[in-house]
Amino acid sequence: MTTTSSDTQSRTRQVGLPWSALLALGTAVFITSLTETLPAGVLPEMSASLGTSSGAAGQAVTVYAAGTALTAIPLATATASVPRKPLLLGAMAVFLVANTLTAAAPGYIVLLAGRFLAGVAAGLAWAILAGYARRIAPAGLEGRAIAAAMTGIPVALSLGVPAGALIGEQVGWRAAFGAVSLLTLAVIGWISVSVPGARQLAIEHAGTNGSDPAPESAKSPLRQTLAVPGVAPIMVTVTTFVLGHTIIYAYIAPYLQRAGLGPATDAVLLAFGVACLVSIWYVGRHVDRRLRTLMVTGSVLFTFATAALAVSTTHAIVWVAAVLWGLGWGGAPTLLQTAAGQAGMRRSSAAADTAQAVLVTLWNAAMAFGGIIGGLLLQSSGVTVVAVSAAALGAVSLLIVAGARHHAFRNTQATPCPTPTHP
């Protein structure tokens, strides 16, 4: 019996998304993102407690990103044949240990060691999460599944970081990291109960759409993956966009202090994060058809917002810029990961996984260099130059996206369901 495309679409609509599993993955993403960005909300408290400058304390972001950048591809390669679920649980367990070590760190060196360990866990987790969400989704809903899982990023920014900043002010920055450890313990249990094994789902999908029964066990050489049309410009965009974002986000607290909004840091971060939520909600609804349009729009909004922060520290402009920044940035992880997966799939599912590992490596390398560059600029030239640099990198990202019109960030026209024909 032949299965028509309308039959497949009808079955997809009936099955829907596995929401409990996706929300568990989204919470894992939340923990990963919150662990990554929490120092931005408690930077003044960390630097005062540890007796360091804001630039030195900001290296807590740098070493985390370095741990991820150095280990994502090697770990993805070394664990290619390991079942995804226990691997993800192992990564979350390392997060539990690392955040607990950070919370209890007696000094600066131990703090950096905990942050580096957390970065290693992130390198493994990020190489798994987007592909996991894609594999447990019905055919045709892969982009929405990735968007659902990636919701953890704007939730971390909109709720987690402001809450961490509030805890840091009221109780202390160590309590904020301790709270993340408790949440990590809870999500380990949730993943154990709700998330199916990716190998199991891959076998089930193979019975319906002919996919590789165990795609995670296949490997695609790095050079061959980067040679796939569209992959290289996507990776360059990842580097410039994330570098620009990190340069200013890691030092947003000193910027807001300079603007006279230091006491409102948690509120500004909340406005930024809520805008991120709106962005990822909209991106999640349209990413499968309007990838290019959304990426161009996000690049424009980010560039405009950071340019506004560079031009003026007027309170009204800062608030508006924070919202525009969130609208431009919130959907970026979903857009970039979806673009990388789509480009890699033109070769194979293994190439898509390799592309995701490369993306994770470049993403975190950009974060590491962003923390270093931002700290140097902050110490030598001040917050205005930090914002100018972010805006310049946003403009470069926009030019790359605009120029890569043939193979990267492609819009997909919706295809109407055909009327079944009978012989």
Side-chain angles (χ1 to χ4, degrees):
M1 180 178 65
T2 301
T3 302
T4 65
S5 60
S6 59
D7 291 337
T8 300
Q9 292 174 357
S10 175
R11 184 165 57 250
T12 296
R13 287 193 295 268
Q14 291 173 3
V15 173
L17 291 172
W19 283 109
S20 180
L22 288 173
L23 289 175
L25 295 179
T27 307
V29 169
F30 171 85
I31 290 171
T32 305
S33 181
L34 181 57
T35 301
E36 180 178 45
T37 56
L38 183 56
V42 296
L43 199 61
E45 291 78 15
M46 286 181 67
S47 62
S49 171
L50 297 170
T52 65
S53 66
S54 295
Q59 301 315 303
V61 175
T62 301
V63 296
Y64 177 101
T68 303
L70 292 172
T71 60
I73 291 179
L75 285 176
T77 301
T79 60
S81 60
V82 179
R84 303 291 91 179
K85 184 172 180 177
L87 200 60
L88 178 58
L89 289 171
M92 300 312 296
V94 177
F95 268 116
L96 175 62
V97 173
N99 279 315
T100 302
L101 179 61
T102 301
Y108 184 65
I109 299 302
V110 177
L111 171 78
L112 295 183
R115 294 292 295 170
F116 184 83
L117 181 62
V120 172
L124 185 56
W126 280 122
I128 297 171
L129 286 164
Y132 214 141
R134 186 177 71 245
R135 284 175 181 149
I136 67 176
L141 295 180
E142 293 89 350
R144 291 192 181 186
I146 293 174
M150 292 303 109
T151 302
I153 296 175
V155 171
L157 296 174
S158 63
L159 300 178
V161 175
L166 182 61
I167 293 173
E169 292 175 1
Q170 301 298 323
V171 184
W173 65 270
R174 298 179 186 275
F177 282 98
V180 179
S181 291
L182 292 176
L183 179 60
T184 304
L185 188 61
V187 82
I188 288 173
W190 189 2
I191 292 172
S192 299
V193 172
S194 298
V195 178
R199 185 183 299 276
Q200 171 191 340
L201 281 198
I203 294 172
E204 293 174 359
H205 288 178
T208 58
N209 60 26
S211 64
D212 181 359
E216 65 268 28
S217 65
K219 299 179 182 179
S220 179
L222 176 60
R223 184 176 300 178
Q224 292 183 12
T225 298
L226 293 176
V228 175
V231 170
I234 291 169
M235 297 307 163
V236 176
T237 304
V238 168
T239 303
T240 56
F241 205 6
V242 177
L243 184 61
H245 167 78
T246 306
I247 280 177
I248 187 166
Y249 187 82
Y251 300 99
I252 191 63
Y255 176 90
L256 292 174
Q257 287 180 334
R258 172 69 175 79
L261 286 169
T265 296
D266 53 349
V268 174
L269 289 174
L270 178 62
F272 167 80
V274 170
C276 284
L277 282 175
V278 173
S279 175
I280 200 169
W281 169 79
Y282 188 83
V283 165
R285 290 179 59 88
H286 300 283
V287 63
D288 289 312
R289 294 190 298 111
R290 304 181 63 193
L291 177 60
R292 179 177 181 76
T293 303
L294 292 169
M295 193 65 219
V296 169
T297 303
S299 300
V300 169
L301 289 173
F302 174 81
T303 303
F304 182 81
T306 49
L309 293 175
V311 169
S312 174
T313 56
T314 302
H315 289 188
I317 291 177
V318 171
W319 280 98
V320 172
V323 172
L324 294 178
W325 179 7
L327 292 175
W329 173 255
T334 297
L335 293 168
L336 292 167
Q337 289 186 317
T338 300
Q342 286 182 356
M345 282 298 294
R346 293 172 199 150
R347 178 178 178 85
S348 66
S349 60
D353 285 349
T354 301
Q356 294 289 351
V358 174
L359 183 148
V360 169
T361 298
L362 292 176
W363 188 292
N364 286 277
M367 287 193 62
F369 282 108
I372 293 171
I373 294 171
L376 292 174
L377 291 174
L378 179 66
Q379 296 299 323
S380 64
S381 305
V383 293
T384 299
V385 176
V386 171
V388 169
S389 301
L393 287 163
V396 172
S397 302
L398 176 60
L399 290 174
I400 296 170
V401 174
R405 64 180 66 252
H406 297 296
H407 299 292
F409 308 107
R410 296 193 300 186
N411 286 338
T412 302
Q413 296 298 322
T415 303
C417 298
T419 301
T421 58
H422 302 280

